[in-house]
Amino acid sequence: MSKNKQEDIFQAAMQLFAERGYDGTTVPMIANKAKVGAGTIYRYFENKESLVNALFVKCVEQFFEVIRTNFPQDADVRQQFNHIFRRMFVFAKENSNALQFINSHDEGYYLDEKSNQTFEDFLDFFRAVIENGKNQGVIRSLPSHAHIAIVYGAFGMLFSLIQSGRMEETPELLNELEDSLWNAIRII
Amino acid sequence: MSKNKQEDIFQAAMQLFAERGYDGTTVPMIANKAKVGAGTIYRYFENKESLVNALFVKCVEQFFEVIRTNFPQDADVRQQFNHIFRRMFVFAKENSNALQFINSHDEGYYLDEKSNQTFEDFLDFFRAVIENGKNQGVIRSLPSHAHIAIVYGAFGMLFSLIQSGRMEETPELLNELEDSLWNAIRII
Amino acid sequence: MSKNKQEDIFQAAMQLFAERGYDGTTVPMIANKAKVGAGTIYRYFENKESLVNALFVKCVEQFFEVIRTNFPQDADVRQQFNHIFRRMFVFAKENSNALQFINSHDEGYYLDEKSNQTFEDFLDFFRAVIENGKNQGVIRSLPSHAHIAIVYGAFGMLFSLIQSGRMEETPELLNELEDSLWNAIRII
Amino acid sequence: MSKNKQEDIFQAAMQLFAERGYDGTTVPMIANKAKVGAGTIYRYFENKESLVNALFVKCVEQFFEVIRTNFPQDADVRQQFNHIFRRMFVFAKENSNALQFINSHDEGYYLDEKSNQTFEDFLDFFRAVIENGKNQGVIRSLPSHAHIAIVYGAFGMLFSLIQSGRMEETPELLNELEDSLWNAIRII
DNA sequence: CATGAATGAGATTTCATTCAT
DNA sequence: AATGAATGAAATCTCATTCAT
């Protein structure tokens, strides 16, 4: 039995939102999985929308933190890409539902300004890396948006495969995938 | 006043499901947008779940049809990839909501056996192309699943950018994107 | 295919009302069983309530007619009872649903003044017979209401047993039943 | 304000079902009469069908209990009949709606296996008494079903008369009725 | 006349939220 | 603080009735 009910609620909500979406998840479902009373959720969050927004911000910031930590600011773009790619998998593995939650909930009509801004800030980090790579003549001259869409879109689906057991994560696989996606964005 | 109410319902439902998800869309919302009475929807579909499944199958089959039509069965893999990539954009442009609907609803807990099977059949087509390419030594030795995840995941996000106006579709852009994704999966 | 749609509707409605009650029977159910369009019912009856009332009156009047025909007005009470008892079974057998319909729908909140009056008239016939028997010192001094309740209540359940096949109708059985019910009301 | 909402719901439902039938009674009607919110009913019963079945079982078991209590197992059949007849009136008077509810809802298409079985068990009790009487040469050789139909059918209608005020319950009346129905089933 | 597609009012049921304990 | 029973607004779904064909 966890001491921190707020965290229990976050975990339960994240899993359910990831599996069934925002509207497909009921507050009693969350309470039940978190092993708290339904009313308790309203001690920690104003309402369901508040909860999903708080959770979204928390997840994106955690993801961001994992990516940013020890980021090789001065290394070359290839190494920066390596860092990002590996950290994305690290985060996804350690927070299996968080990634799916983020991916299926960005663009949700229930996200507030802060949530959207947090996600934009997160993307901006990648944009900066990409822009830097383009300036160095290493990365294709596509819009940064496009590069991010390619890597992030591919990554989301790839992790989903691993998560569901349809593909096994091995060091060799990760090497191949990293190489594949690097080829997608670099100038050849 | 349209003659075909079933089609009106399909169109309204597709747009709303794409924008707000299955559970976030109410039957009166659909009826309203389709300009039919709420009860009319139940003359055409047994219930809401029936509707989303019928719509899913219809959309996937349409998508499949666009990809399969004039597919260069005997050409080399690069040309097959070109065909697929271009047709994906053609379908997405002509059925802008259909793609978003498919992408946000595969894996939905409300999809029935037939819907899932239809989607699997669709993916199998790509798997066959990829396998063929691997046998010819043109495509990387990653699992076919992974190649599809990369291309399809990237494509989904890319089209979303174009759709929302954050990126402009030009012939040059499409050429670059095709090249980028081809680099991701081919042996270099 | 019957020529008389009104009669088809009556038959279908009677069977369904008998089995499922007034509120448990939908107009489309009736239309379906009567093999007419739902709208056709509204050519013959103003609405569902109109139909059930017309049907009730028709059934009670038919029942009444069967009882009254050849009623031995001048015979003794025992013979009058015999006539009534036998005719009740004749009617019930020839109009199997009608009896169940009447029994489960008298006291219905949807019955109008005319329906209730028709049923009262029907009961008055029995009351007169009973009163006559009481005056002759043949029948117990219970209220006529009570005698009717005993015979009619018993009869309803008995016929239900035969109808459902849980009891077989034989001449011997009918003789026994007639004797049993006569014993209930006569002075011994 | 009652403490036991489940019981309030039962009482309200029983009265309404007795008066208007299953399909003629809406859940909001029940909620309104029970002075609870409509949603509350679904905390206690899975759905409307569940409610009617639970109520039916409860009523039949209560009725059964009243009949069985202090039943003179070793007395003669006449005395057993006396016990049953009197207790039926006791139950009917104390649970005026319960009897009407039972009588108008047995054979309902919405009753489940358990409800039907409970009612059969109830009838089996009477069958045993009747069989015993037949073996002792006191009761007519009609099928037990028939005897029950006669007594129970008659009783139902008789109580309805008393209930509605069309007949007044006096000790003399009950004596007469008991004698009347006993004459119906005994060998004379 | 006859039909059955269409409708919307109203039925059943769910669920976000409150509040007495 | 924590609970979960209670609520009623809103969701899904049904059906008596209408009306264009």
Side-chain angles (χ1 to χ4, degrees):
Chain A
M1 198 62 40
S2 162
K3 208 56 142 310
N4 190 340
K5 286 181 193 289
Q6 168 149 341
E7 187 54 28
D8 293 347
I9 294 166
F10 269 141
Q11 287 303 322
M14 189 167 64
Q15 187 169 339
L16 286 162
F17 285 150
E19 285 167 6
R20 306 178 50 96
Y22 174 68
D23 290 291
T25 301
T26 72
V27 173
M29 274 181 202
I30 297 169
N32 190 51
K33 185 175 279 269
K35 289 178 182 154
V36 300
T40 304
I41 289 175
Y42 290 83
R43 295 218 147 268
Y44 292 94
F45 305 97
E46 200 188 334
N47 51 35
K48 191 184 170 188
E49 203 168 307
S50 241
L51 166 56
V52 78
N53 277 285
L55 182 59
F56 186 81
V57 167
K58 179 180 127 97
C59 286
V60 172
E61 284 180 344
Q62 271 184 11
F63 197 0
F64 199 177
E65 192 55 33
V66 167
I67 302 291
R68 251 190 317 206
T69 300
N70 298 324
F71 181 74
Q73 196 65 55
D74 302 323
D76 66 22
V77 177
R78 180 63 187 87
Q79 281 175 308
Q80 291 180 335
F81 179 80
N82 167 265
H83 174 93
I84 290 172
F85 182 82
R86 298 295 165 156
R87 289 301 177 105
M88 278 165 72
F89 271 95
V90 166
F91 173 77
K93 260 170 63 180
E94 289 178 358
N95 308 272
S96 57
N97 297 119
L99 187 77
Q100 204 182 338
F101 168 69
I102 293 171
N103 288 344
S104 59
H105 287 73
D106 62 6
E107 312 217 333
Y109 62 89
Y110 37 78
L111 290 191
D112 62 19
E113 187 48 46
K114 190 185 170 198
S115 291
N116 287 319
Q117 189 55 54
T118 303
F119 194 64
E120 281 305 307
D121 293 346
F122 177 57
L123 293 182
D124 280 342
F125 178 83
F126 298 110
R127 278 182 206 119
V129 174
I130 298 286
E131 285 299 324
N132 182 36
K134 290 204 290 192
N135 290 337
Q136 291 178 19
V138 179
I139 287 184
R140 280 170 171 280
S141 64
L142 281 166
S144 299
H145 275 84
H147 287 299
I148 293 170
I150 289 168
V151 176
Y152 195 71
F155 168 72
M157 284 228 158
L158 288 167
F159 188 73
S160 174
L161 281 178
I162 292 169
Q163 187 61 18
S164 67
R166 282 169 290 176
M167 197 163 69
E168 199 195 353
E169 183 189 341
T170 62
E172 294 74 30
L173 180 76
L174 291 193
N175 287 339
E176 279 284 308
L177 292 176
E178 180 181 342
D179 192 45
S180 164
L181 291 179
W182 175 247
N183 284 343
I185 66 174
R186 72 174 168 118
I187 290 172
I188 294 181
Chain B
M1 195 62 46
S2 161
K3 207 54 148 308
N4 192 341
K5 285 179 192 290
Q6 166 146 339
E7 188 54 30
D8 292 349
I9 294 166
F10 267 141
Q11 288 304 321
M14 189 166 65
Q15 188 169 339
L16 285 161
F17 286 150
E19 284 166 8
R20 305 179 50 97
Y22 174 68
D23 290 292
T25 300
T26 72
V27 172
M29 276 179 200
I30 297 169
N32 192 51
K33 185 177 280 270
K35 289 180 182 151
V36 299
T40 302
I41 289 174
Y42 291 87
R43 286 199 67 72
Y44 291 95
F45 304 98
E46 200 185 334
N47 51 36
K48 192 184 167 188
E49 202 167 310
S50 225
L51 165 57
V52 79
N53 276 284
L55 183 59
F56 187 81
V57 166
K58 180 180 127 99
C59 287
V60 171
E61 283 179 346
Q62 271 182 12
F63 197 179
F64 199 176
E65 194 54 33
V66 168
I67 302 291
R68 250 191 317 206
T69 300
N70 298 324
F71 181 74
Q73 196 65 55
D74 301 322
D76 66 23
V77 176
R78 179 65 187 85
Q79 281 175 306
Q80 291 181 337
F81 179 80
N82 167 264
H83 173 93
I84 290 172
F85 182 82
R86 298 295 165 156
R87 291 300 177 105
M88 278 165 72
F89 272 94
V90 166
F91 174 78
K93 261 170 62 182
E94 290 178 356
N95 307 273
S96 56
N97 295 121
L99 186 78
Q100 204 181 338
F101 168 69
I102 292 171
N103 288 344
S104 59
H105 287 74
D106 62 7
E107 311 217 337
Y109 62 89
Y110 37 77
L111 290 191
D112 61 20
E113 187 49 46
K114 189 185 171 200
S115 292
N116 286 320
Q117 188 55 54
T118 303
F119 195 64
E120 281 306 306
D121 292 346
F122 178 57
L123 293 183
D124 279 341
F125 178 83
F126 297 110
R127 277 182 207 122
V129 175
I130 298 286
E131 286 299 322
N132 182 38
K134 289 204 292 189
N135 290 337
Q136 293 178 17
V138 180
I139 288 183
R140 280 171 170 277
S141 64
L142 280 166
S144 299
H145 276 83
H147 287 298
I148 293 169
I150 289 167
V151 176
Y152 195 71
F155 167 73
M157 284 232 160
L158 288 167
F159 188 73
S160 175
L161 281 179
I162 292 169
Q163 186 61 19
S164 67
R166 282 169 291 175
M167 196 162 71
E168 199 195 353
E169 183 189 340
T170 62
E172 293 73 31
L173 179 77
L174 289 192
N175 287 339
E176 278 286 307
L177 291 176
E178 181 181 341
D179 192 45
S180 162
L181 290 179
W182 174 247
N183 284 343
I185 64 173
R186 71 174 169 117
I187 290 173
I188 296 182
Chain C
M1 197 61 43
S2 162
K3 208 57 142 310
N4 190 339
K5 285 180 193 291
Q6 166 148 340
E7 188 53 29
D8 292 348
I9 294 166
F10 268 140
Q11 287 304 320
M14 189 167 64
Q15 187 169 340
L16 286 162
F17 285 150
E19 284 166 7
R20 305 178 51 97
Y22 175 68
D23 290 291
T25 300
T26 71
V27 173
M29 274 180 203
I30 298 169
N32 190 52
K33 185 176 280 267
K35 289 179 181 153
V36 301
T40 303
I41 289 174
Y42 289 84
R43 294 220 147 265
Y44 292 94
F45 305 97
E46 199 187 334
N47 51 34
K48 190 184 171 188
E49 205 168 307
S50 239
L51 165 57
V52 78
N53 277 285
L55 182 59
F56 186 82
V57 167
K58 179 181 128 97
C59 286
V60 172
E61 284 181 344
Q62 271 183 10
F63 198 0
F64 199 176
E65 193 55 33
V66 168
I67 301 291
R68 250 191 318 205
T69 300
N70 298 323
F71 181 75
Q73 196 65 54
D74 302 321
D76 66 21
V77 177
R78 180 65 187 85
Q79 280 175 309
Q80 291 181 337
F81 179 80
N82 167 264
H83 174 92
I84 290 173
F85 182 82
R86 298 295 165 156
R87 289 302 176 105
M88 278 165 73
F89 272 95
V90 166
F91 174 77
K93 260 169 64 180
E94 289 178 356
N95 308 271
S96 56
N97 296 119
L99 187 77
Q100 205 182 337
F101 168 69
I102 293 172
N103 288 343
S104 58
H105 287 73
D106 61 8
E107 312 216 335
Y109 62 90
Y110 37 77
L111 289 191
D112 60 20
E113 187 48 47
K114 190 185 170 197
S115 292
N116 287 319
Q117 189 54 54
T118 302
F119 195 64
E120 280 307 307
D121 293 346
F122 178 56
L123 293 182
D124 279 342
F125 178 83
F126 297 110
R127 278 182 207 120
V129 175
I130 299 285
E131 285 300 323
N132 182 39
K134 290 203 290 190
N135 290 338
Q136 292 180 17
V138 179
I139 287 183
R140 281 170 170 278
S141 65
L142 280 165
S144 299
H145 275 82
H147 287 298
I148 292 170
I150 288 167
V151 176
Y152 195 70
F155 169 72
M157 283 230 159
L158 288 167
F159 188 73
S160 174
L161 281 179
I162 291 170
Q163 186 61 17
S164 68
R166 281 168 292 176
M167 196 163 71
E168 200 194 352
E169 183 189 339
T170 62
E172 294 74 31
L173 180 76
L174 290 192
N175 287 339
E176 279 284 307
L177 292 176
E178 180 180 342
D179 192 45
S180 163
L181 291 179
W182 175 247
N183 284 342
I185 65 174
R186 72 175 169 118
I187 290 173
I188 295 182
Chain D
M1 194 63 44
S2 162
K3 205 56 148 307
N4 191 340
K5 285 180 193 289
Q6 167 147 341
E7 189 53 31
D8 293 348
I9 294 166
F10 268 141
Q11 288 304 320
M14 190 166 65
Q15 188 169 338
L16 286 162
F17 285 150
E19 284 166 7
R20 304 178 51 95
Y22 175 68
D23 290 292
T25 302
T26 72
V27 172
M29 276 179 200
I30 298 169
N32 192 50
K33 186 177 278 272
K35 288 179 182 152
V36 300
T40 303
I41 289 175
Y42 291 86
R43 287 198 67 72
Y44 291 95
F45 304 97
E46 201 186 332
N47 50 36
K48 192 184 167 189
E49 202 168 311
S50 225
L51 165 57
V52 79
N53 277 284
L55 182 59
F56 186 82
V57 167
K58 180 180 127 98
C59 287
V60 172
E61 284 180 346
Q62 271 183 11
F63 197 179
F64 198 177
E65 193 56 32
V66 168
I67 302 292
R68 251 191 316 205
T69 301
N70 298 323
F71 181 75
Q73 196 65 56
D74 301 322
D76 66 23
V77 176
R78 180 65 188 83
Q79 282 175 306
Q80 291 180 337
F81 179 81
N82 168 264
H83 173 92
I84 289 172
F85 182 83
R86 299 295 166 156
R87 290 300 176 104
M88 279 165 71
F89 272 93
V90 166
F91 174 78
K93 261 169 63 181
E94 289 177 357
N95 307 273
S96 56
N97 295 123
L99 187 77
Q100 203 181 341
F101 168 69
I102 292 172
N103 288 343
S104 59
H105 286 73
D106 63 5
E107 312 217 335
Y109 63 90
Y110 36 77
L111 290 191
D112 61 20
E113 188 48 47
K114 190 184 171 200
S115 292
N116 287 320
Q117 189 56 53
T118 303
F119 195 64
E120 282 305 307
D121 293 346
F122 178 57
L123 293 183
D124 280 342
F125 179 83
F126 297 111
R127 277 180 208 123
V129 175
I130 298 286
E131 286 299 322
N132 182 37
K134 291 203 292 191
N135 290 338
Q136 293 178 17
V138 178
I139 288 184
R140 280 171 172 278
S141 64
L142 280 166
S144 299
H145 275 84
H147 286 299
I148 293 170
I150 288 167
V151 176
Y152 195 73
F155 167 73
M157 284 232 159
L158 288 167
F159 189 73
S160 176
L161 281 179
I162 293 170
Q163 188 59 20
S164 67
R166 282 169 291 174
M167 195 163 72
E168 199 193 354
E169 183 191 341
T170 62
E172 294 74 31
L173 179 75
L174 290 192
N175 287 339
E176 279 285 307
L177 292 176
E178 181 181 340
D179 192 45
S180 164
L181 290 179
W182 173 248
N183 284 343
I185 66 174
R186 72 173 168 120
I187 289 173
I188 295 181

